[in-house]
Amino acid sequence: MSPEDKPVPRAAPGRKKRLSREIVLSAALALVDAEGLDALTMRRLGQELGRDPMGLYRYAANRAALLDGVSELVLNELAIFPDDPDWQAQLRHIAHDLRLLALRHPNVVPLLVTRPLSTPLGLRPLGTLRPLEQILSLLIDAGFAPADALHVYRAYYGYLYGHILNELQELIVDPDENEALLRLGLHRLPPKDFPRLRSLAPVLANYDGAAELDQGISILLSGLAARLSPPDAQTRD
Amino acid sequence: MSPEDKPVPRAAPGRKKRLSREIVLSAALALVDAEGLDALTMRRLGQELGRDPMGLYRYAANRAALLDGVSELVLNELAIFPDDPDWQAQLRHIAHDLRLLALRHPNVVPLLVTRPLSTPLGLRPLGTLRPLEQILSLLIDAGFAPADALHVYRAYYGYLYGHILNELQELIVDPDENEALLRLGLHRLPPKDFPRLRSLAPVLANYDGAAELDQGISILLSGLAARLSPPDAQTRD
DNA sequence: AACAACTTCTCTACAATGTAGACTCTAAAC
DNA sequence: GTTTAGAGTCTACATTGTAGAGAAGTTGTT
């Protein structure tokens, strides 16, 4: 390529319409989904939008803010749940929704998990806090004392995030190579030190995330209901 | 500073003893503990060790490998547990150990959580897999069928990691400013949209992580024991 | 002792990144 | 028109990870 050329034929030549936060963030999300977090550089995103990278700073104060925006955008995909009177069913439903969300955007999960660690609770993007508020009010409406609702929320979300991390760790992108890769990887382990792990290879290979999640949630929820001031399963009002 | 000077008086002038992987990794860990992940650059670490940054590549192939090394190092702090016949007690013990580990090295937790996402199971640093193997064998020894042991492990570790993330998110470094900061943050939230969260501020402020973890573990373990082929609590042999 | 074959350490150099600051362009307000 | 504010662009710079060449140190062989 001769260095005199326009560096790259811009993404879409005709459409120089005005940018907006949403446009920028969705482009960023698309990029992360397609090529991973590292691909999301200001320059690359600018190129993707056919704009000068510096222009992006109009819509996100810096790269970190951009990342926050992306996680917020993803969390907004979480549908609002209908008001099912059965709180357990609702939590179960949300759990599966969030799981699917994570599988749809696996590259964003690290953001969802780590960004909050650097931002105190109250200062997070609002979209990030909405699920928390929703679940709290769901639980309180179901009859839990507010403080107990918080405990339930913590146990529930804790397990949920943990499960998602677990599942993504065991996820291999190419389903055909799944078992092969797994065995290949495990093959490297010294048999003396890792007998259990190695012998579990076949079980590891077919992992039913949804089922596993569902089972865990059941255990947790019934345990929580029993241990805390149990709101009558059917509230009548 | 005049640019002609030696850039920095090296950390410890006299001690030019041979480096080693452990030395490098512990220095890296110390740096991360003290100043966070971003402070861990090759140049900075080199400076900390009084060595040329390039020399570090002798002990870690690249920065990513260095990060892996740090998480491995941290995980090695997990003590081997004695062979208590009560598997539930053991798991509970390990959970608390891991929690304390996380609190001791909060800046490393993002690594523990996200690095495995980019590395297929079998290819991770061995130190990272050791807890998995240990817990599997613990469970199998306790009488679980291997496949069930895997399920228990997943639910258990899932919840455990989730809890740790939760707790670290709510952790504010300066204990005095804790409530103030929290309120300050929450104050920003629109009261219409976040009534529950706001009203829970005082409860949020004093969070007893250990108790919360313990309770969650209890729920999970008893649920797991009931649902899966329950090994007799006391194995006799 | 001298040499050779290593490992380890150091220096220089470069491409890529985030972002500051000044400039230009566009579009609405007067 | 002329002015003004904002959006978009360009240039420039400090900082990063790391390649590659060499210097210095260590060890083994003769």
Side-chain angles (χ1 to χ4, degrees):
Chain A
M1 319 260 177
S2 75
E4 307 296 344
D5 283 351
K6 283 277 176 59
V8 148
R10 263 57 193 287
R15 43 150 82 161
K16 277 278 196 172
K17 39 180 307 193
R18 208 42 159 293
L19 285 187
S20 73
R21 186 148 209 270
E22 284 81 39
I23 297 182
V24 171
L25 289 184
S26 344
L29 174 56
L31 192 53
V32 172
D33 279 341
E35 311 189 26
L37 274 179
D38 290 344
L40 180 54
T41 71
M42 301 310 258
R43 286 169 166 87
R44 179 70 197 283
L45 183 55
Q47 171 179 324
E48 216 70 29
L49 288 164
R51 287 305 201 309
D52 186 284
M54 282 298 115
L56 304 176
Y57 286 93
R58 201 78 40 175
Y59 304 101
N62 48 40
R63 183 163 187 268
L66 207 159
L67 294 178
D68 280 336
V70 170
S71 30
E72 199 175 352
L73 187 64
V74 167
L75 278 185
N76 280 344
E77 282 184 31
L78 263 191
I80 305 297
F81 25 88
D83 16 29
D84 187 328
D86 180 355
W87 61 279
Q88 300 208 18
Q90 285 201 55
L91 288 188
R92 188 184 304 272
H93 188 171
I94 299 172
H96 283 283
D97 279 358
L98 193 73
R99 169 177 178 266
L100 292 176
L101 190 83
L103 292 179
R104 236 177 299 139
H105 305 287
N107 295 333
V108 183
V109 169
L111 286 187
L112 299 182
V113 167
T114 56
R115 298 284 325 153
L117 294 178
S118 18
T119 326
L121 197 87
L123 301 180
R124 306 215 189 116
L126 291 192
T128 309
L129 292 175
R130 206 148 272 139
L132 197 165
E133 174 72 21
Q134 283 173 343
I135 289 174
L136 283 180
S137 83
L138 182 160
L139 290 170
I140 293 174
D141 289 352
F144 279 100
D148 283 346
L150 190 58
H151 288 146
V152 174
Y153 166 82
R154 281 178 178 144
Y156 164 79
Y157 240 66
Y159 173 73
L160 183 47
Y161 264 79
H163 169 87
I164 286 173
L165 284 173
N166 259 348
E167 179 164 355
L168 286 185
Q169 287 189 13
E170 297 188 15
L171 179 99
I172 309 280
V173 270
D174 185 342
D176 284 340
E177 282 199 82
N178 188 338
E179 194 175 350
L181 255 189
L182 239 163
R183 285 192 193 283
L184 210 155
L186 294 180
H187 177 260
R188 195 193 48 125
L189 302 183
K192 309 286 165 192
D193 294 339
F194 296 92
R196 317 294 196 182
L197 230 188
R198 287 176 56 113
S199 72
L200 277 172
V203 192
L204 277 166
N206 29 340
Y207 176 38
D208 184 346
E212 197 113 19
L213 173 64
D214 210 68
Q215 217 176 326
I217 290 279
S218 297
I219 292 174
L220 250 183
L221 290 184
S222 62
L224 283 171
R227 196 144 322 204
L228 296 176
S229 66
D232 339 65
Q234 285 50 297
T235 41
R236 60 190 64 214
D237 52 312
Chain B
M1 321 254 174
S2 75
E4 308 297 344
D5 281 350
K6 283 277 176 62
V8 147
R10 263 62 193 282
R15 44 150 81 163
K16 278 277 197 176
K17 40 179 307 193
R18 196 72 143 281
L19 286 187
S20 74
R21 187 148 207 271
E22 284 81 39
I23 296 182
V24 171
L25 290 183
S26 343
L29 174 56
L31 193 52
V32 171
D33 279 341
E35 310 189 26
L37 275 179
D38 291 344
L40 179 54
T41 70
M42 301 310 260
R43 286 171 166 86
R44 179 69 197 282
L45 182 55
Q47 172 179 322
E48 217 70 29
L49 289 163
R51 287 304 201 309
D52 186 284
M54 283 298 114
L56 305 177
Y57 287 93
R58 203 70 40 170
Y59 306 101
N62 48 40
R63 183 162 187 269
L66 207 160
L67 295 178
D68 280 337
V70 171
S71 27
E72 199 176 351
L73 186 64
V74 167
L75 278 185
N76 281 345
E77 282 184 30
L78 264 191
I80 305 298
F81 25 86
D83 17 25
D84 187 327
D86 181 354
W87 61 279
Q88 299 208 19
Q90 285 202 54
L91 289 187
R92 187 184 306 273
H93 188 171
I94 298 172
H96 283 284
D97 278 357
L98 193 72
R99 168 175 179 268
L100 292 177
L101 190 83
L103 292 180
R104 235 177 301 138
H105 305 288
N107 295 333
V108 183
V109 168
L111 286 187
L112 299 183
V113 166
T114 56
R115 299 278 332 149
L117 294 178
S118 19
T119 325
L121 197 88
L123 302 179
R124 306 218 188 113
L126 291 191
T128 308
L129 292 176
R130 206 147 271 140
L132 198 166
E133 174 74 19
Q134 284 173 341
I135 289 175
L136 283 180
S137 85
L138 182 159
L139 290 170
I140 293 174
D141 288 353
F144 279 99
D148 282 347
L150 190 59
H151 289 146
V152 175
Y153 167 83
R154 281 175 177 147
Y156 164 78
Y157 240 66
Y159 173 73
L160 183 48
Y161 264 80
H163 169 88
I164 286 172
L165 284 173
N166 261 346
E167 181 165 354
L168 285 185
Q169 288 189 13
E170 298 187 17
L171 178 99
I172 309 281
V173 268
D174 185 341
D176 285 339
E177 283 199 80
N178 188 338
E179 194 174 348
L181 255 190
L182 240 164
R183 288 190 191 282
L184 210 155
L186 295 179
H187 176 261
R188 194 194 50 123
L189 302 182
K192 309 287 165 188
D193 295 339
F194 296 92
R196 317 293 197 183
L197 232 188
R198 287 175 55 114
S199 72
L200 278 171
V203 191
L204 277 166
N206 30 341
Y207 176 37
D208 184 346
E212 197 113 21
L213 174 65
D214 210 68
Q215 217 175 327
I217 290 278
S218 296
I219 291 174
L220 251 183
L221 290 184
S222 62
L224 284 171
R227 197 141 324 202
L228 296 176
S229 65
D232 339 65
Q234 282 57 293
T235 42
R236 61 190 62 219
D237 53 311

